[in-house]
Amino acid sequence: MNKKTKTNFITGDILKASILGAFKKLNPLYMIKNPVMFVVESGFIITLLLGFVPDLFGDEGADLYLYNFTVSAILLITVLFANFAEAVAEGRGKAQAQSLKKTQKDMHARILKDNGEDEIISADGLKKDDIVLVKSGELIPNDGEVIEGIASVDESAITGESAPVVKESGGDFASVTGGTTVGSDWLKIRITSDPGESFLDKMISLVEGASRQKTPNEIALNTLLVSLTIIFLIVIVSLNPIALYSGVHLQISTLIALIVCLIPTTIGGLLSAIGIAGMDRVTRFNVIAMSGKAVEVCGDVDTMILDKTGTITYGNRMAAKFIPVGNASEEELIRYSVISSLRDDTPEGKSIVSLGESLSGKRQQEIPGMKSVEFTAQTRMSGIDLPDSIKIRKGASDAIQKYVRELGSVIPTDLEGSVNEVARLGGTPLVVCLKEQILGVIYLKDTIKQGLTERFARLRAIGIKTIMCTGDNPLTAATIAQEAGVDSFIAECRPEDKIAAIKAEQAEGKIVAMTGDGTNDAPALAQANVGIAMNSGTAAAKEAANMVDLDSDPTKILDVVEIGKQLLITRGALTTFSIANDVAKYFAIIPAMFMAVIPQMQILNIMVLSTPYSAILSALIFNAIIIPILIPLAMRGVEYRPMSAEKMLTRNMLIYGLGGIIAPFAGIKIIDLIITPLLTAAGL
């Protein structure tokens, strides 16, 4: 698992702010956004008026003012507890946002003018495409891309990681984040976002909850809760004439209490807090989610597409062996392999030079007039051009074979065996040729990241398919895929192959997630339902994705998917618990309302509650206090365990469905035993 930022559930400052926030949220204009709790607040206002004027809606009886005030007080507490839950979730986000805002405070920028001069201005005055110069020890004023220079950048203020990251112009590691610090040398940066639109600004806004929009699932659940509320309102309105016909006079306060107890107030009070807490958990993994929908969609992911290098394997493939083929000697293979890698700054290229020089005992110098040939996704080879038309190439086996065939050469008979042997060992075979002659194979070793096999097994247990993308040949890809435990793989993968794979899965109705960091990954990130871009990657990749990993750890997608699953499980579990609660409240209140005139109703009083007033107030009190009791669970989330959807549903029904029925029976009975003496003393 990736390192997660640990914080206390609630601090003294958050507690104070949340209590104040709970009262501020009583504004009806705010409460109407949560229809379930708005009904409860409306009930509070009506019962409060009945406390002062008991016969406001008819002959209620002047002796019931105490009962009306009591019901009113419990309803107010219920609303405050629901508001408190939301305020706590927001408070945790705001506390995190404050630490992020410290990196923005009083930032300045050295902007470069067209005439070459520079000027110090406030970072707030920067615009997109401005050019700034940032020197050692200075803060990078806004998101941008390095266009000149190379320097180490301290990103600990954003990511929490103390190890500096090298940034330089060109490639997939030119992107820098506002608020980070240049630790050495200098960088010339082109600003890529306007003030207030940087990734840090977005992160602050999201963790504060200010820009959190309700997700589709949340909207659907809210619609269900509103529908249930309307149904119960109709039922209660219909109940009053039935009661009058039966000779039972029901007080308005009792009818309101029945409505509040039967509508899903528990999940209604916690729904917003659950959504905010889900965003909070993602940001504590140093991932910026562009919306709550992105986090929620993670919970519905069916297929994950992952790059092999850097995600499944460590990526720093190291040269382990030189295998000559045909008539070439090992000495000849080593010499030209080293020459072809002298200007290759990749870890693989450096390891070839290091191993070759250690085996030969000689240091290879650059040859005058040599020219580099860069690797491309189309040619899948690189190399060196020497004077006198001497060309050295190294690359994928099929690419080199095609290259030498076009030159009219014959493929050594033992090449295929050597390539297959390296691939069988899980390595990457790199074939080297001099002009039209294939000299041999370089065995590059790649290691699967520790613990990934177990995590892929966890994903398989919950029905998520994993697909590995790699530029390796099919045999190498199959070996790595089997060792890692992924379900499928795409060998010799090009950027367009990723898009094709995503579309193929989506055509089957599946939700697809993937990671990427390069400009060539941007189309696939945009096509995927969940795209996570690396913070070290290009601006194009980050703009195309709907999440950005500040730690630039490609395996973070596994954590984010589990967080999304946990969010959905938490919402479903607490909804089940809330609705199951109504069963116990039904057995508490309905018998209490009618058993005075219908003795047969006594059989439903299975909790043996003392009096009708005790039964109603006990159910109301339980309905109120269950909300703060469940706040820690809503914030932390229901424990996630990899299992099939059927097993998960069965488990949650047993724990939260059955538990939601049993807990209120016990809780209401205990409250009844406590308040009965008090009600007797008050004459109720």
Side-chain angles (χ1 to χ4, degrees), residues 312-498:
I312 294 173
T313 63
Y314 285 103
N316 294 334
R317 298 175 297 177
M318 307 296 287
K321 189 177 181 181
F322 295 97
I323 308 170
V325 297
N327 297 323
S329 65
E330 183 177 11
E331 181 180 356
E332 188 179 19
L333 171 61
I334 292 174
R335 179 171 184 266
Y336 287 107
S337 295
V338 171
I339 292 174
S340 70
S341 304
L342 285 175
R343 293 185 178 178
D344 186 348
D345 290 330
T346 65
E348 294 87 350
K350 292 177 180 178
S351 72
I352 292 171
V353 174
S354 177
L355 178 63
E357 290 181 344
S358 66
L359 291 176
S360 65
K362 295 184 291 185
R363 184 173 180 81
Q364 179 67 52
Q365 301 293 328
E366 287 199 10
I367 299 172
M370 63 188 294
K371 296 180 180 179
S372 301
V373 177
E374 299 295 329
F375 176 88
T376 67
Q378 286 70 37
T379 63
R380 295 171 52 239
M381 68 174 74
S382 63
I384 292 290
D385 287 348
L386 299 177
D388 300 326
S389 300
I390 299 175
K391 301 179 184 294
I392 308 170
R393 296 290 184 269
K394 68 176 191 288
S397 175
D398 61 328
I400 295 294
Q401 289 184 50
K402 179 182 178 182
Y403 174 76
V404 297
R405 281 197 185 101
E406 290 175 351
L407 296 176
S409 182
V410 179
I411 308 300
T413 56
D414 54 346
L415 175 64
E416 184 177 356
S418 298
V419 168
N420 290 343
E421 177 62 19
V422 171
R424 187 186 65 80
L425 295 173
T428 300
L430 201 63
V431 178
V432 180
C433 69
L434 173 64
K435 295 184 178 179
E436 71 279 359
Q437 180 190 3
I438 293 180
L439 301 177
V441 180
I442 304 173
Y443 173 20
L444 297 178
K445 291 185 67 175
D446 205 352
T447 307
I448 292 173
K449 291 186 176 181
Q450 193 172 14
L452 274 191
T453 303
E454 292 77 11
R455 297 186 70 185
F456 286 137
R458 285 166 60 93
L459 294 173
R460 190 176 299 106
I462 57 175
I464 294 179
K465 177 183 177 182
T466 49
I467 300 176
M468 179 186 77
C469 293
T470 175
D472 293 332
N473 65 64
L475 187 56
T476 301
T479 303
I480 294 291
Q482 183 178 11
E483 186 179 348
V486 295
D487 299 307
S488 182
F489 65 87
I490 303 173
E492 299 174 348
C493 183
R494 298 166 299 172
E496 52 267 33
D497 294 329
K498 293 181 183 178

Side-chain angles (χ1 to χ4, degrees), residues 538-559:
T538 62
K542 290 191 282 189
E543 288 296 327
N546 47 25
M547 289 187 176
V548 177
D549 174 25
L550 296 175
D551 294 329
S552 299
D553 179 0
T555 63
K556 192 74 69 69
I557 191 172
L558 303 174
D559 296 307

Side-chain angles (χ1 to χ4, degrees), residues 10-78:
I10 188 168
T11 63
D13 291 339
I14 293 177
L15 178 61
K16 293 176 184 177
S18 299
I19 292 173
L20 182 61
F23 283 94
K24 288 182 177 179
K25 292 176 184 290
L26 288 174
N27 183 345
L29 294 177
Y30 181 85
M31 291 299 300
I32 202 169
K33 297 176 183 178
N34 186 341
V36 175
M37 298 315 298
F38 180 73
V39 170
V40 180
E41 185 176 48
S42 300
F44 152 68
I45 295 172
I46 295 171
T47 52
L48 181 64
L49 291 174
L50 288 172
F52 290 106
V53 188
D55 59 351
L56 180 64
F57 298 103
D59 185 15
E60 287 286 314
D63 58 335
L64 291 178
Y65 72 92
L66 180 60
Y67 171 68
N68 293 335
F69 275 132
T70 304
V71 172
S72 180
I74 297 172
L75 295 182
L76 174 61
I77 291 171
T78 303

